[in-house]
Amino acid sequence: MKQVTVVGAGVMGKGIAYAFATAGYRVYLNDLNEEVLGKAKKEIHALLNNSVKRGFLEEQQCKAAERNLYFESDLSTAAKESDLVIEAVLERMDLKIKIFKQLDEICKPEAILATNTSTMSPTEIGAQTSRSHKVVAMHFFNPVHKMKLVEVIRGLETSDDTVNLIKEYTESLGKTAVEVNEFPGFVTSRMNCLIGNEAMNMLMEGVATAKDIDQAMKLGLNHPMGPLELADLVGLDTRLRNMEYLYATLGEKYRPCPLLTKYVKAGRLGKKSGKGFYDYETK
Ligand code: NAD
């Protein structure tokens, strides 16, 4: 049985662990924070049971996934035997590099090290390891159990073998890979961050309410979710970090909307904190 480690048990890490566990992999979910790991365990358990109830998963698959999932706060224990490690910690280059240096020491030489970054450079991360040919970005989407796309971003030194293996892993999860050459924000985040930022600017300028901006995009432009709803789902802190990186690398067009910065300063992080552009506590 192939073994996969997911580093970071936040919004994305939980979903990625669920996707691999239900596809028959042994999965170690790692986080520094024991409380976060405990919460992730409860949420994955609930999602597994709900998926059985709604007919998306067989009872057997659910039981096997529960058996094959390990929640482990020690990175070495979590990663040393794995064939693939996916990092899903905060969107901060210094943190990602620190973790990849550790993983390079801990992991088997043949293991692939992937980052779930939304915007950042797998080339820069890979260059800090002794295996840049085995470093790649594997960009999942939120919520992972529903979203079919994985963007596979090839760094300068990423080998064809690594890209092909990541595409095989993607297929084995029932998802579709799109290969992208490295450039800040890839295809999806570059486009999506701009749409979201424009919606935030409109809200700040008083063009329309959050609800009406989202409604207009859904009913008029056929977006399945409004840009402000989507930003709340992503997490406003994560979105702000994405915007800051795109602003630093691509320039003025990506200057983060001041309203986004203000919300993050206030602790309004979207769905995960209970309040963002919408209030989830009173719903
Ligand atoms: P999050 O804030 O929900 O979770 C990050 C987790 O990383 C936290 O649980 C934190 O405790 C943990 N962490 C921090 N340092 C760690 C360390 N040294 N070792 C282990 N765990 C550590 O963030 P998220 O929204 O899940 O985003 C994670 C990554 O995925 C980011 O790079 C983000 O850009 C990317 N991403 C996010 C989304 C989204 O919709 N939220 C979508 C695609 C990609």
Side-chain angles (χ1 to χ4, degrees):
M1 184 187 270
K2 289 260 184 196
Q3 182 171 305
V4 176
T5 298
V6 182
V7 184
V11 172
M12 292 306 288
K14 281 182 287 217
I16 298 168
Y18 173 94
F20 277 98
T22 51
Y25 293 88
R26 180 181 297 120
V27 179
Y28 276 82
L29 182 56
N30 164 265
D31 202 288
L32 284 179
N33 187 330
E34 291 279 1
E35 215 175 290
V36 169
L37 274 181
K39 195 168 163 246
K41 190 173 182 176
K42 268 195 202 145
E43 287 184 19
I44 293 176
H45 178 72
L47 183 58
L48 282 167
N49 285 320
N50 202 27
S51 299
V52 173
K53 267 191 213 139
R54 298 178 67 189
F56 296 123
L57 267 190
E58 299 291 329
E59 185 79 45
Q60 289 287 81
Q61 247 180 316
C62 170
K63 282 193 180 138
E66 300 258 24
R67 258 196 325 272
N68 292 328
L69 257 168
Y70 298 84
F71 298 83
E72 176 56 63
S73 59
D74 180 64
L75 184 63
S76 180
T77 310
K80 64 176 189 262
E81 299 296 337
S82 285
D83 303 289
L84 168 66
V85 181
I86 303 167
E87 164 276 313
V89 303
L90 311 182
E91 189 79 337
R92 264 181 36 205
M93 185 53 92
D94 59 334
L95 189 57
K96 291 187 188 292
I97 284 177
K98 188 176 143 216
I99 289 169
F100 272 74
K101 281 184 171 168
Q102 284 174 274
L103 290 171
D104 194 28
E105 297 278 317
I106 293 167
C107 293
K108 302 188 286 193
E110 62 273 26
I112 295 181
L113 308 182
T115 171
N116 183 50
T117 179
S118 308
T119 55
M120 293 179 166
S121 162
T123 302
E124 186 176 347
I125 296 170
Q128 302 294 324
T129 71
S130 63
R131 56 176 98 187
S132 52
H133 60 299
K134 288 192 171 290
V135 174
V136 64
M138 188 177 191
H139 184 205
F140 287 85
F141 292 80
N142 183 12
V144 181
H145 66 285
K146 287 192 183 158
M147 303 301 284
K148 293 285 177 215
L149 177 66
V150 172
E151 255 181 326
V152 181
I153 299 96
R154 183 191 273 277
L156 191 63
E157 309 291 356
T158 310
S159 70
D160 288 345
D161 280 355
T162 299
V163 169
N164 290 336
L165 271 169
I166 292 294
K167 286 181 178 170
E168 281 172 27
Y169 276 113
T170 302
E171 260 175 46
S172 74
L173 303 178
K175 300 192 188 293
T176 302
V178 167
E179 188 182 331
V180 180
N181 287 318
E182 181 181 313
F183 206 81
F186 323 134
V187 170
T188 52
S189 303
R190 182 170 162 187
M191 191 82 82
N192 187 39
C193 282
L194 206 52
I195 295 172
N197 210 48
E198 204 54 32
M200 292 168 203
N201 280 321
M202 285 180 190
L203 181 65
M204 190 178 69
E205 288 157 3
V207 174
T209 63
K211 200 165 167 249
D212 285 341
I213 291 170
D214 280 344
Q215 191 79 312
M217 295 298 281
K218 287 189 280 194
L219 300 184
L221 300 183
N222 215 12
H223 285 214
M225 277 183 93
L228 299 170
E229 283 174 303
L230 181 54
D232 271 358
L233 180 70
V234 165
L236 300 189
D237 50 342
T238 302
R239 177 58 67 84
L240 179 58
R241 284 197 192 93
N242 294 158
M243 289 306 303
E244 284 168 346
Y245 183 77
L246 293 175
Y247 178 48
T249 50
L250 299 178
E252 187 56 34
K253 203 161 58 167
Y254 290 87
R255 180 190 288 275
C257 173
L259 192 60
L260 174 63
T261 310
K262 194 197 279 185
Y263 276 28
V264 172
K265 279 188 180 149
R268 283 198 194 189
L269 306 183
K271 219 167 178 181
K272 66 183 170 187
S273 73
K275 204 169 183 186
F277 293 105
Y278 295 92
D279 189 343
Y280 301 89
E281 276 158 354
T282 54
K283 259 188 187 172

